[in-house]
Amino acid sequence: ASMAPLILRECESACPDVSVRIIEGLSVFHEEWINLGRVDLAVLTTIDDSPDHLREQDLFWEEMVLVASNDFQHGRGGAMTLEEVARFEITTSHGFRMAIDQIAKTAGISIRYANTFDSIPIIKEILTRGSCISILPYVWVEKERLADSLPVFKITSPSLKRRIVAAWSATRAISPAIEAARDPVKRASHGLTVTPS
């Protein structure tokens, strides 16, 4: 969602003959839509090496943070180690959980989960209306952190980072539209703030 206006601006400037339609969704859905030919180019996260059916172009690494409801008893923000984060039960999405667990396992840390929702708006609604602790990409909660409307904590030792890529089908010919849009999408990613300062 944060990239959408940046992508539109870059594509309108660099390739005005390309019609851009943006569909928001989780990475798991975007991978399926690429396979089905519903989308030509997707911005998604990847944990492992590229699957055989996709070609990828690196965009950036995105930092994930701990976000809590306003009744959180541990302050309004700052930093926490991943070991400290493991004391809480986390609500997040299935895709984020896979990324979190991969890094936590390497660090020898086990994360406990309360709920898993494959919807960022639902998780944010629960955060604002109830008691919840979540791990989300910083780009999704930057406004809340700047407005101090939700407690947001940087995670350290280790930090949680996800690889974000532009992806397209490896089994279909690359269309002129995909060729034209790849560089503007990469430039659009440079306009994001993906890590807390």
Side-chain angles (χ1 to χ4, degrees):
S2 300
M3 279 190 74
L6 301 173
I7 289 172
L8 285 173
R9 185 184 69 210
E10 290 289 344
C11 285
E12 285 170 358
S13 173
C15 43
D17 295 334
V18 173
S19 176
V20 178
R21 178 180 173 216
I22 294 178
I23 304 172
E24 186 177 1
L26 298 172
S27 290
V28 64
F29 301 136
H30 281 295
E31 278 197 43
E32 182 179 344
W33 295 339
I34 289 172
N35 288 335
L36 295 173
R38 284 190 60 197
V39 298
D40 297 311
L41 183 69
V43 175
L44 50 83
T45 183
T46 182
I47 298 172
D48 302 311
D49 293 334
S50 305
D52 291 340
H53 62 275
L54 291 181
R55 292 289 177 264
E56 298 174 351
Q57 176 182 35
D58 285 336
L59 297 177
F60 55 89
W61 285 85
E62 172 181 70
E63 190 163 355
M64 302 182 76
V65 294
L66 183 136
V67 189
S69 297
N70 279 312
D71 60 358
F72 193 55
Q73 302 297 311
H74 300 272
R76 296 296 303 173
M80 282 191 185
T81 66
L82 189 56
E83 194 168 2
E84 290 173 312
V85 169
R87 296 186 313 215
F88 307 109
E89 288 194 337
I90 302 298
T91 294
T92 194
S93 77
H94 175 71
F96 296 158
R97 178 173 175 168
M98 288 194 302
I100 295 162
D101 284 345
Q102 184 183 56
I103 296 168
K105 182 179 178 182
T106 300
I109 297 170
S110 179
I111 304 295
R112 296 177 298 133
Y113 296 93
N115 296 294
T116 303
F117 299 102
D118 284 333
S119 169
I120 307 304
I122 288 175
I123 294 171
K124 289 181 75 171
E125 189 69 20
I126 294 169
L127 281 164
T128 56
R129 290 180 177 251
S131 292
C132 174
I133 301 168
S134 185
I135 295 174
L136 295 173
Y138 178 67
V139 70
W140 286 95
V141 294
E142 181 187 18
K143 289 179 184 174
E144 287 82 359
R145 180 180 186 237
L146 295 176
D148 197 30
S149 60
L150 288 173
V152 176
F153 294 80
K154 185 178 177 74
I155 299 171
T156 63
S157 303
S159 60
L160 298 178
K161 293 184 179 178
R162 305 186 314 149
R163 179 173 162 250
I164 307 298
V165 300
W168 58 94
S169 174
T171 59
R172 292 193 305 276
I174 298 176
S175 70
I178 294 174
E179 286 279 12
R182 280 188 304 192
D183 285 342
V185 167
K186 186 166 181 67
R187 285 195 301 273
S189 71
H190 296 158
L192 291 175
T193 303
V194 295
T195 185
S197 54

